[in-house]
Amino acid sequence: MEELGLSDVEAFLAVARARGFRGAAVQGGVSASALSAALRRLEARLGVRLLNRTTRSVTPTEAGQRLLERLGPLVGEIGSALDSINAYRESPTGTLRLNVPSIVARHILPSIATRFLRAHPGITLDVITDDAFVDVLAAGCDAGIRYEERVERDMIAMPIGPRLQRFVAAAAPAYLAAHGRPSRPQELVDHACIRHRFPSGVVAVWEFERRGKIVRIRPDGPLLASTTEMEVEAAVAGLGIIHTFEELLQPQLANGALEPVLEEWCQRFSGPLLYYPSRAHMPAPLRAFVDFIKAEGAQRGDGEVRRTT
């Protein structure tokens, strides 16, 4: 049998795990046509079809599933062995792929990424912005950043960025002049509210807290959107009250385009967590990033937590 190429095997594994050429291409930073060509070469050399392809899906054949189960761990060990050479470098090299929500990508990660990349010029940071709940490994990422209630199970998690954040409600001065300023969260049912829809399709519930009392509101209003830019612009235009991360509204609050309301009810919550799987051989770029975040966290007294439930 003709000698198999490791790159062709890796292409098969990527497509089989992603269940598609397009997804595997995005994760691997290669073209779908290159992956397709690699798979054809591998199937020709083995003399057996490994993947069933339709216009809607890609699934392993029985032979492909068996090869996936046998080769997956072996290729992973090869990758770990090659990556271990990084330990002999003065500074590690390679790509670190992170999956993060948009609020983190815009307002928390940029300054951290800048400091990290200056300290590790041999590392490329590949940031995938995704507000949905994802399996970071299945998505081809080394680690993810999420808030505590959305961190995957059986992961190592550690604080990254601010330890506390808060949601704020705000409206344009013109809106408040025309409709009045609410004094209690319950009064929001009589106001026009600008609502947010998550990628899952769920519409956000507004939650407020004061002296241990929590009030949840399902608002109504003229706009329901999935992009914060549209929501903020609508609020500035005076269409209604907005409720979101304080960081997203800071410029408008600072210049007076928006005014805070229900300030004594602003809910605080724990900041984001960096999470990653427990691995015997952690990729060098991820190890460098974890050590970097630990060092910064030690200055604030932050710690690492192991999530097992």
Side-chain angles (χ1 to χ4, degrees), residues 164-183:
L164 284 176
Q165 292 179 262
R166 68 174 188 164
F167 283 111
V168 298
Y175 175 88
L176 296 175
H179 302 280
R181 184 183 298 268
S183 59

Side-chain angles (χ1 to χ4, degrees), residues 107-108 112 147 159-165 247 269-272 300:
H107 297 279
I108 296 174
I112 295 173
Y147 288 87
I160 182 171
R163 289 301 78 237
L164 284 176
Q165 292 179 262
E247 290 87 349
F269 53 92
S270 298
R300 300 191 303 263

Side-chain angles (χ1 to χ4, degrees), residues 190-249:
D190 298 320
H191 282 268
C193 296
I194 298 166
R195 298 165 293 160
H196 179 76
R197 180 191 289 114
F198 293 111
S200 64
V202 174
V203 177
V205 174
W206 291 13
E207 193 168 286
F208 300 86
E209 184 175 4
R210 182 185 181 189
R211 298 173 186 171
K213 179 182 179 181
I214 295 178
V215 177
R216 295 180 177 86
I217 303 293
R218 293 188 179 276
D220 197 4
L223 178 65
L224 174 61
S226 299
T227 59
T228 55
E229 291 83 0
M230 181 179 291
E231 296 159 27
V232 173
E233 185 170 338
V236 170
L239 292 181
I241 297 175
I242 189 172
H243 182 251
T244 188
F245 289 92
E246 183 176 22
E247 290 87 349
L248 295 178
L249 302 182

Side-chain angles (χ1 to χ4, degrees), residues 265-293:
W265 286 91
C266 288
Q267 186 184 50
R268 296 181 180 274
F269 53 92
S270 298
L273 298 172
L274 170 70
Y275 69 100
Y276 52 94
S278 176
R279 294 174 173 171
H281 303 289
M282 186 183 297
L286 177 57
R287 168 52 63 192
F289 190 64
V290 168
D291 290 343
F292 178 83
I293 298 302

Side-chain angles (χ1 to χ4, degrees), residues 120-186:
H120 298 282
I123 292 178
T124 298
L125 186 60
D126 183 355
V127 179
I128 299 171
T129 303
D130 191 343
D131 287 317
F133 180 79
V134 297
D135 180 335
V136 290
L137 294 182
C141 296
D142 300 295
I145 299 176
R146 287 296 186 275
Y147 288 87
E148 187 169 7
E149 70 276 8
R150 305 198 73 188
V151 171
E152 298 176 37
R153 297 182 177 184
D154 302 319
M155 290 281 175
I156 304 295
M158 59 190 301
I160 182 171
R163 289 301 78 237
L164 284 176
Q165 292 179 262
R166 68 174 188 164
F167 283 111
V168 298
Y175 175 88
L176 296 175
H179 302 280
R181 184 183 298 268
S183 59
R184 300 182 304 139
Q186 293 87 341

